[in-house]
Amino acid sequence: MRAEIVATGDEIRTGALVDSNSAHIADQLEQAGIEVTRHHAVGDDLPVLVALLHEIGARAEVAVVTGGLGPTEDDLSAAAAARALGVGLVLDQQALEEIEAYFTRRGRPMTASNRKQAMFPEGARRLPNPIGTAPGFRVVIGGCAFYFLPGVPHEMRRMLQEQVLPDLHTMQGAVRDFRLTRVISTFGLPESVVGEKVAAIHQYFPDIKLGLRAKFPEIQVKLYLNTPDEAQGGRMLDGAARWVSEALGINVFSLREGTMAEEVGALLRQQNATLALAESCTGGLIANWLTNIAGSSDYFLFGAVTYANPSKIQVLGVEPETLEQYGAVHETTAQSMARGARRIAGATYGLATSGIAGPGGGTAEKPVGTLCIGLDGPMGTRSRTVTLSFGQRLMNKRLFAMIALDLLRRALLEQPDQP
Amino acid sequence: MRAEIVATGDEIRTGALVDSNSAHIADQLEQAGIEVTRHHAVGDDLPVLVALLHEIGARAEVAVVTGGLGPTEDDLSAAAAARALGVGLVLDQQALEEIEAYFTRRGRPMTASNRKQAMFPEGARRLPNPIGTAPGFRVVIGGCAFYFLPGVPHEMRRMLQEQVLPDLHTMQGAVRDFRLTRVISTFGLPESVVGEKVAAIHQYFPDIKLGLRAKFPEIQVKLYLNTPDEAQGGRMLDGAARWVSEALGINVFSLREGTMAEEVGALLRQQNATLALAESCTGGLIANWLTNIAGSSDYFLFGAVTYANPSKIQVLGVEPETLEQYGAVHETTAQSMARGARRIAGATYGLATSGIAGPGGGTAEKPVGTLCIGLDGPMGTRSRTVTLSFGQRLMNKRLFAMIALDLLRRALLEQPDQP
């Protein structure tokens, strides 16, 4: 089956709102083995909507339309579907009762305009909305089954899951195809090099489609397979993912779409190790990433954001002479910061960043993009300097934080007690 | 002029990636007085792309297409445009040199596949990419000027701004209509209350359209005006923005789409004041927000992420008795943390957060969503406890950080030396 997706509304048409609904719907349909061929977005414009419904009705077997089910006169989805079908709008008594019940539960009065939300094209099948005022509906235009859903993401998602997908599975019958995917997350190699290293996969796994995705600052390798046999296809994909992992080696940091922080956190947990941070140029970003993970307090003990030099001295115990002799952005200083953070927290590892995120603060010797990392742990103290050529502060911060966490990840993987 | 927008790529078609480019382009075109009528998204499929280019060429005057300019064989934009025009692809020598220079600057070898990125449809005008490897190009298909831009958002945005929009202004000539907007950012009132407080704006400014947008955790009030007179329209919008500001009072934190951290940073700078942070439940998020701002080292001196209690004691000087008696999540503890951070850094203000972001760690007395804020400064020590009902850790962290910064903002606005 081929599907198209439509987002409606002037907010989306004019760019006031980013349409995240269509990606979710596409992902769910593709996973169900339905090929999504096109997405559309149009405004609250009746003739445009009617023309688009006709166009899709002549081309696709399934369409999911979001938005335009609200109580205002800008909400035109039911009117457009009725016009496209050449029928009138009729009041659905049960829908009206459900809308009334919704308002009663919330102790709010139902306005006259909400009555409009119970009007559907003649012959439409109502799709109940268990968590909002706007029910959806299903009609067939041309050769295509159209599902009209609300634009509110959590309402749309629930109705898609509970009503649309089961309906489509019934329509698919026995000839269902599964779309399976695997994602291999890498860091440290440019996209072109990743592409070259995995190019030969077609020789070994000819049925599997490969895509590269730059999800700054990661490069993801995605493997796709359409198959009627979910179990066998899954085994084939697992084999292909292992092949890709071996081709890319240490640069692979996750096989489950985990973030670098999640994978570093998992390694720390496995090893019963703990971490303290001393962040200068990354300004709390590494701490923020780690504390986004539920349960990270088990391994993340303490972070210092030492933006000013006095706090490097006073909190982390960096010697004033070190700062005088080498400056804040130097491997010796970063090492001292890492040792200080580790000591204060009594952590297994101390990780420190000092650098110049820009746009100001660069010099000829230490330009914007310079990063010094210090890492202190059971294996001793290490450090590294890298210089990036991005001009943007936020990109530099992200990349600095990734490089620092990756240095720790590689050190953790060297541990002899690792599986 | 009527414009359509196309996002290309299997990642977008299948929903692996949310297309945020199209909203940005639509917003920029609409602001330039160009009506965006439709958005499309299609996969890496040559016949589908060619058919869509013909379709749009027969309907619109302007089209912006993103994606498909990379080095891989999935990148089909130039080939599709050439096919739609019935011409061949030719090597652009200058583009090749620029791509080579890009790799040379980064000290990386250029691969053979990157050469493909210098191939354009015969007769196309190259659009240089100052910050990436993929140049764009402009062709006219049917009656429509097509701008092909990279899918990487920051590259696309810069090329749109510097090359496409000036080109379109020239095409528009004298008959240009401006779409002007103002954004008033608020925090602390529910969307429905914001809506009620500004509902009367239509009586005073009937030409101005108002929209509310929940940009979690902010509520933005957006004002729109279409006008041929940019200067006069701008003055009218400024008046309306002042009216909205007065209606919403202290809950307005920015009139320039600034973030809460940017506005707090600006207030600190104005008052020659400095800040130190002690973050527990916000885990470095406030520090990260502040250090995203270029020049924030002028007022942000130090942050401690004291996830574990020992670091609260050792670094911030919180009394062990305080932690024993009240626990980590308590106003007394938060006050002590704020005083400690302020003292260590010698800052004007110390701001501290302690709370339960979830999903674990809640108790009947202190459920997930409990936040204690401490603020220490020239006005003495303050604290506040709030309890939120969100279950999600990341949403809680964001909201916690906003509430803490907002407490500081309100304190800064009370300063008698304020204008």
Side-chain angles (χ1 to χ4, degrees):
Chain A
M1 286 202 295
R2 291 157 59 92
E4 302 195 20
I5 299 170
V6 181
T8 70
D10 280 340
E11 295 264 286
I12 287 170
R13 179 184 65 76
T14 61
L17 201 66
V18 172
D19 165 36
S20 60
N21 283 340
S22 295
H24 176 79
I25 296 165
D27 184 53
Q28 294 293 307
L29 294 179
E30 287 272 335
Q31 280 185 38
I34 296 163
E35 187 193 0
V36 176
T37 54
R38 283 177 75 165
H39 305 204
H40 312 258
V42 292
D44 302 311
D45 183 320
L46 193 64
V48 169
L49 273 167
V50 174
L52 182 59
L53 297 182
H54 280 302
E55 181 189 320
I56 295 172
R59 195 166 51 201
E61 284 107 57
V62 175
V64 181
V65 184
T66 56
L69 300 178
T72 76
E73 56 191 34
D74 281 351
D75 291 299
L76 296 168
S77 288
R83 178 88 59 99
L85 287 165
V87 301
L89 288 167
V90 291
L91 182 75
D92 184 307
Q93 195 58 43
Q94 196 177 339
L96 185 65
E97 281 164 23
E98 281 174 14
I99 296 169
E100 282 169 347
Y102 179 91
F103 281 96
T104 305
R105 278 200 304 278
R106 273 155 193 73
R108 288 199 271 137
M110 188 181 124
T111 64
S113 56
N114 291 109
R115 189 181 159 90
K116 171 173 171 292
Q117 298 183 286
M119 304 284 291
F120 299 110
E122 209 181 321
R125 190 171 96 218
R126 182 174 48 87
L127 304 171
N129 183 340
I131 49 176
T133 59
F137 62 94
R138 178 190 192 272
V139 293
V140 175
I141 302 172
C144 178
F146 281 81
Y147 296 85
F148 288 83
L149 301 180
V152 181
H154 72 278
E155 297 176 18
M156 179 281 290
R157 287 175 182 228
R158 179 138 169 206
M159 290 168 71
L160 184 75
Q161 200 61 44
E162 294 180 357
Q163 299 179 64
V164 180
L165 291 175
D167 214 44
L168 294 176
H169 290 173
T170 308
M171 283 168 67
Q172 285 172 301
V175 294
R176 185 169 167 201
D177 229 19
F178 294 88
R179 180 186 176 83
L180 307 177
T181 59
R182 293 289 183 277
V183 177
I184 297 105
S185 303
T186 79
F187 180 69
L189 296 174
E191 183 172 351
S192 56
V193 176
V194 172
E196 281 160 24
K197 283 184 184 278
V198 298
I201 192 171
H202 298 297
Q203 295 168 27
Y204 304 101
F205 300 93
D207 295 339
I208 288 175
K209 203 175 158 195
L210 179 140
L212 296 186
R213 178 176 163 203
K215 189 185 165 190
F216 181 84
E218 308 174 13
I219 304 290
Q220 293 186 338
V221 180
K222 291 192 84 166
L223 304 175
Y224 304 92
L225 179 65
N226 287 317
T227 173
D229 186 335
E230 193 175 14
Q232 196 195 328
R235 285 191 295 273
M236 189 193 288
L237 270 177
D238 288 336
R242 272 195 302 276
W243 186 92
V244 169
S245 271
E246 280 166 27
L248 295 169
I250 187 79
N251 293 97
V252 173
F253 67 87
S254 182
L255 296 173
R256 50 171 190 170
E257 291 194 73
T259 64
M260 180 67 83
E262 282 165 352
E263 299 300 340
V264 167
L267 287 170
L268 289 167
R269 185 184 291 281
Q270 264 176 39
Q271 300 184 19
N272 283 314
T274 54
L275 176 64
L277 296 171
E279 298 186 71
S280 185
C281 58
T282 50
L285 179 57
I286 302 177
N288 184 43
W289 280 351
L290 286 167
T291 61
N292 280 348
I293 306 162
S296 51
S297 56
D298 293 345
Y299 46 81
F300 175 52
L301 302 183
F302 169 65
V305 183
T306 51
Y307 235 46
N309 278 346
S311 62
K312 292 186 181 79
I313 297 167
Q314 210 181 328
V315 178
L316 299 174
V318 176
E319 295 288 330
E321 295 73 32
T322 304
L323 284 165
E324 264 166 47
Q325 191 176 344
Y326 302 107
V329 181
H330 192 279
E331 290 191 31
T332 308
T333 308
Q335 288 183 1
S336 178
M337 289 167 66
R339 277 193 295 265
R342 183 184 177 210
R343 189 192 60 244
I344 290 165
T348 323
Y349 293 92
L351 180 65
T353 61
S354 190
I356 300 154
T363 63
E365 202 195 338
K366 291 174 186 172
V368 168
T370 304
L371 166 69
C372 295
I373 310 169
L375 176 63
D376 188 50
M379 74 301 174
T381 311
R382 293 179 186 175
S383 57
R384 191 202 281 182
T385 301
V386 291
T387 306
L388 311 173
S389 51
F390 290 100
Q392 284 197 10
R393 182 178 180 87
L394 296 200
M395 288 174 80
N396 276 336
K397 274 182 72 182
R398 288 176 69 88
L399 204 40
F400 286 174
M402 280 290 277
I403 294 168
L405 281 173
D406 195 42
L407 191 76
L408 173 57
R409 180 181 71 92
R410 288 168 187 245
L412 288 166
L413 287 174
E414 281 166 22
Q415 292 309 300
D417 54 336
Q418 269 305 290
Chain B
M1 286 203 295
R2 292 157 59 93
E4 302 195 19
I5 298 170
V6 181
T8 69
D10 279 342
E11 298 270 287
I12 288 168
R13 179 184 65 76
T14 61
L17 200 65
V18 171
D19 166 34
S20 61
N21 284 338
S22 296
H24 176 80
I25 295 165
D27 184 53
Q28 294 292 306
L29 294 180
E30 288 271 334
Q31 280 185 39
I34 296 163
E35 188 193 358
V36 176
T37 54
R38 282 178 72 165
H39 304 205
H40 312 258
V42 292
D44 302 312
D45 183 320
L46 194 63
V48 169
L49 272 167
V50 173
L52 182 59
L53 297 182
H54 280 303
E55 179 188 322
I56 295 172
R59 195 166 51 202
E61 284 106 58
V62 175
V64 180
V65 184
T66 56
L69 300 178
T72 75
E73 56 191 35
D74 281 350
D75 292 298
L76 296 168
S77 287
R83 178 86 60 98
L85 286 164
V87 301
L89 288 167
V90 292
L91 183 75
D92 184 307
Q93 195 58 43
Q94 198 179 337
L96 185 65
E97 282 164 20
E98 282 175 13
I99 295 169
E100 282 169 348
Y102 178 92
F103 281 98
T104 305
R105 278 201 303 277
R106 273 153 191 76
R108 288 199 269 137
M110 188 181 122
T111 63
S113 56
N114 291 109
R115 188 181 159 90
K116 170 173 171 293
Q117 297 182 287
M119 304 284 292
F120 298 110
E122 211 179 320
R125 191 172 94 218
R126 180 174 50 85
L127 302 172
N129 182 340
I131 49 174
T133 60
F137 62 93
R138 177 190 192 273
V139 293
V140 175
I141 300 171
C144 179
F146 281 82
Y147 296 85
F148 288 84
L149 301 180
V152 180
H154 73 278
E155 297 176 17
M156 179 282 289
R157 286 173 183 229
R158 180 142 166 201
M159 291 168 70
L160 183 75
Q161 199 62 43
E162 293 180 357
Q163 300 179 65
V164 180
L165 292 175
D167 215 46
L168 294 176
H169 291 173
T170 308
M171 283 168 68
Q172 284 173 301
V175 292
R176 190 173 164 195
D177 220 24
F178 295 87
R179 180 188 176 84
L180 307 178
T181 59
R182 293 290 183 278
V183 176
I184 297 104
S185 303
T186 79
F187 180 69
L189 296 175
E191 185 171 350
S192 57
V193 175
V194 172
E196 280 161 24
K197 283 183 183 280
V198 298
I201 192 172
H202 298 297
Q203 295 167 27
Y204 304 100
F205 300 93
D207 295 339
I208 289 174
K209 205 178 157 190
L210 180 142
L212 295 187
R213 182 176 164 204
K215 190 185 166 191
F216 182 84
E218 308 173 14
I219 303 291
Q220 292 186 338
V221 180
K222 291 191 86 165
L223 304 175
Y224 305 91
L225 180 65
N226 286 316
T227 172
D229 187 336
E230 192 176 17
Q232 198 196 328
R235 285 191 296 272
M236 190 192 288
L237 270 177
D238 288 336
R242 273 194 302 276
W243 186 92
V244 169
S245 271
E246 279 164 28
L248 296 169
I250 187 78
N251 294 98
V252 173
F253 68 86
S254 182
L255 296 174
R256 50 171 189 172
E257 292 195 71
T259 63
M260 180 67 82
E262 282 165 353
E263 300 299 341
V264 167
L267 287 170
L268 289 167
R269 185 183 290 283
Q270 263 175 42
Q271 300 185 20
N272 283 315
T274 55
L275 177 64
L277 296 171
E279 299 186 70
S280 185
C281 57
T282 51
L285 179 57
I286 301 177
N288 184 43
W289 280 350
L290 285 167
T291 62
N292 280 349
I293 306 162
S296 51
S297 55
D298 293 345
Y299 46 81
F300 175 52
L301 302 183
F302 169 66
V305 183
T306 51
Y307 236 45
N309 279 347
S311 62
K312 293 187 181 78
I313 296 166
Q314 210 180 329
V315 178
L316 299 173
V318 175
E319 296 288 330
E321 296 72 32
T322 304
L323 284 165
E324 264 166 48
Q325 192 176 344
Y326 302 108
V329 181
H330 192 279
E331 290 191 33
T332 307
T333 308
Q335 288 183 2
S336 177
M337 290 166 66
R339 276 193 296 265
R342 183 185 177 209
R343 189 191 60 245
I344 289 165
T348 323
Y349 292 92
L351 181 64
T353 61
S354 191
I356 301 153
T363 62
E365 201 194 338
K366 291 175 186 173
V368 168
T370 304
L371 166 69
C372 296
I373 311 168
L375 175 64
D376 188 49
M379 74 298 173
T381 311
R382 293 179 185 176
S383 57
R384 191 203 281 182
T385 301
V386 292
T387 305
L388 310 173
S389 51
F390 291 101
Q392 284 196 12
R393 182 178 180 86
L394 296 199
M395 285 173 82
N396 277 337
K397 274 183 72 181
R398 289 176 68 88
L399 204 40
F400 285 175
M402 279 289 276
I403 294 169
L405 281 173
D406 196 43
L407 192 74
L408 173 57
R409 180 182 71 92
R410 289 167 187 246
L412 288 165
L413 287 173
E414 280 167 22
Q415 291 310 298
D417 54 335
Q418 269 304 290

